[in-house]
Amino acid sequence: MGIPSYVMPEYRQNPLTKEWVILSCERQARPSEFLDQPARRESSACPFCWGNEHETPAEIARYCDANDKGSWSVRVVPNKYPAVSLNASSRERQPACNDECLFRTAPALGEHEVIIESPRHVVSLTDLTLSETEYLFLAYRDRIAAHRAAGQAQYVQIFKNVGSLAGASIEHSHSQLMALEQLPQDLEREVAIADGYYRRNGRSLMNSVLQAELEAGTRVVAESANFAAFCPFASRFPYEICLAAKTAGGHFEELQAGELGELAAIVREIIGRIESMLGPIAYNYYLRPAPFDIDSSDQYDWHIEIFPRLVKVAGFEWSTGVFINTVSPEVAAKALRSLPDQRGN
Amino acid sequence: MGIPSYVMPEYRQNPLTKEWVILSCERQARPSEFLDQPARRESSACPFCWGNEHETPAEIARYCDANDKGSWSVRVVPNKYPAVSLNASSRERQPACNDECLFRTAPALGEHEVIIESPRHVVSLTDLTLSETEYLFLAYRDRIAAHRAAGQAQYVQIFKNVGSLAGASIEHSHSQLMALEQLPQDLEREVAIADGYYRRNGRSLMNSVLQAELEAGTRVVAESANFAAFCPFASRFPYEICLAAKTAGGHFEELQAGELGELAAIVREIIGRIESMLGPIAYNYYLRPAPFDIDSSDQYDWHIEIFPRLVKVAGFEWSTGVFINTVSPEVAAKALRSLPDQRGN
């Protein structure tokens, strides 16, 4: 077996764990602003700043205030260093391989987009204006809906890395979106668990958890008319937060502008509380919409996970999959809940 | 539901993923030498250095040269801040909870030990003498055998964190051991996969992979009489390495002193190659012995995973479980293979 030449990104399956990885050697070319500390970069050199729009690939979408057509608040562009690819020729390269195959591959098909959250060189979601945050969540919804309508992807993963320790390679506040033609393994597992629960109990698992958390109260962090956020009972990380809709069965991509504004405000509020308590810290969040082939949305409710990167993942976690958490979610929620309101501008 | 008081560490199960975490609030008291950079600490202040033996709990085992009885090369002590506990009273606290339970707990029963690898204040495995490295692997074997004989644990996980980015909280070179009464979820999955493969093919999965890698050759990094190391086909990380025995079916805890010496030398050699190429870098390794209830050792072969911490885990990996790797294992293995021999003293 010679060394294959990697023109396109590919999935490879670990035969010992059945888990897939993406091998994407082109991404090595991408710039990394960070060594161990995030370096503040001059706005003139930042490809995401106002005035440098020519440094990104052609825009997919743009959001701007109705009264300021020449400007923009949020832009969506293709990722210049995509981890997945739409190249059709890779669809044919797949060698025949059964379940016993020790070297199983699949083309890593999909689209990788970047959502630039502000024309200003800001770092965290809390640096955005409330209006920019609302456009951001509108962009999330519209892009998921567009990929759903296009009919190629099975699933869209949206995520955000803030700070070097959270894996950010560009400082300017942005989110990423991956529209994937293969359902990722964690989603496959979660969907099977949620589906089993739904068939046995006739209720959405995510919504059952949310209702139980609202009833218990001890782990609730914030609440608005339609959404609630809590520190999960089995939090992997200190100050981990899960946010979901109070009503079961709604697809994220069907949320209305008013609801998205409410959601943007509560996410910003929660991150504000985390930063108010822990300082300007690295964090990740991700949005898990339902996979597109789920008809009854009661089977899998979308949710958002937010977690500051306070601790390093060490050998025990890597070897067992079991995370050791030293801050109980009850203590974390109480501390976050008791902070003053962080909403502003 | 009030805030429970955590006298003992406990397992909690995430109802959405069925994954267990360990909540161990006592560990918050443990010292962290590191902020973002590992700080070189004076030997006189280090609890693992020669002369400071009184700063650790009472010794479980000690290894020293036959001709120098007053000294020691490797010491095994209980972890002062254990993430699991042997407290018998917690066995009774377990509330009844079925599969539909949204707040499922279990006592985190087990033992947590530290293996101090040298009396000198050194940092990496490659700073050890070959003799210290051999004692270390002897200690691994003896402690696994002791926990197997004691009959309480289902599984023993051994791991090593070097450097702040790899989650080390004490700089002085050491390994950790957790003897667990509950099989961790990653092992449960791997054992099921290996067992299915064995029943269908009559061969050990790990050994089939190793033989296929030796035949392919392109991902092999190093080889000795009884062991071989390769960059896995589906590596999650750049320069990830898997090491296993060439002969299937041997339990790690049954290895003889000569084989352990050979194993110690090849592991030290591999880490030397990684450091020679990448500099003094943070890394983790872990040893996965077979769970104790596996009789036919063909069903699950022990192996070691080594990986430098070059990249940060970001939002995509956390949300999907799919790792994006930008260095192909063929390129990594070729680079590591072509380095000069690193064996010394």
Side-chain angles (χ1 to χ4, degrees), chain A residues 222-295:
Chain A
E223 209 182 327
S224 66
N226 293 295
F227 310 104
F230 57 94
C231 294
F233 175 72
S235 293
R236 285 172 301 175
F237 305 107
Y239 306 100
E240 179 179 337
I241 287 165
C242 179
L243 184 150
K246 288 183 181 173
T247 310
H251 280 290
F252 184 88
E253 58 270 33
E254 289 162 7
L255 287 175
Q256 299 304 305
E259 295 166 306
L260 289 165
E262 180 190 331
L263 180 59
I266 192 172
V267 169
R268 193 158 162 278
E269 159 74 14
I270 289 165
I271 296 172
R273 282 172 189 260
I274 291 172
E275 290 175 339
S276 158
M277 190 162 65
L278 304 169
I281 199 167
Y283 63 87
N284 296 101
Y285 72 65
Y286 55 80
L287 161 64
R288 275 195 173 149
F292 292 150
D293 66 353
I294 289 188
D295 285 331

Side-chain angles (χ1 to χ4, degrees), chain A residues 1 6 12 22 24 36-37 100 161 185 197 200-201 218 233 288 309 313 315 319 321 323 325 330, chain B residues 1 6 12 22 24 36-37 100 161 185 197 200-201 218 233 288 309 313 315 319 321 323 325 330:
Chain A
M1 186 176 294
Y6 297 109
R12 290 184 173 195
I22 294 175
S24 174
D36 273 340
Q37 288 295 324
E100 302 302 346
N161 309 328
Q185 53 234 14
Y197 184 89
R200 290 190 305 274
N201 299 281
T218 48
F233 175 72
R288 275 195 173 149
R309 299 295 293 274
V313 181
S319 53
F323 283 71
N325 181 1
E330 292 79 13
Chain B
M1 188 176 295
Y6 297 110
R12 289 185 174 195
I22 294 175
S24 174
D36 273 341
Q37 289 295 323
E100 303 302 347
N161 310 326
Q185 53 234 14
Y197 185 89
R200 291 190 306 272
N201 299 280
T218 49
F233 175 73
R288 274 193 175 151
R309 300 294 295 275
V313 181
S319 53
F323 282 72
N325 182 0
E330 291 80 15

Side-chain angles (χ1 to χ4, degrees), chain B residues 50 59 62-73 135:
Chain B
W50 168 257
E59 219 164 84
R62 156 183 298 215
Y63 295 82
C64 49
D65 285 320
N67 55 358
D68 190 5
K69 288 288 181 199
S71 179
W72 54 272
S73 294
Y135 285 128

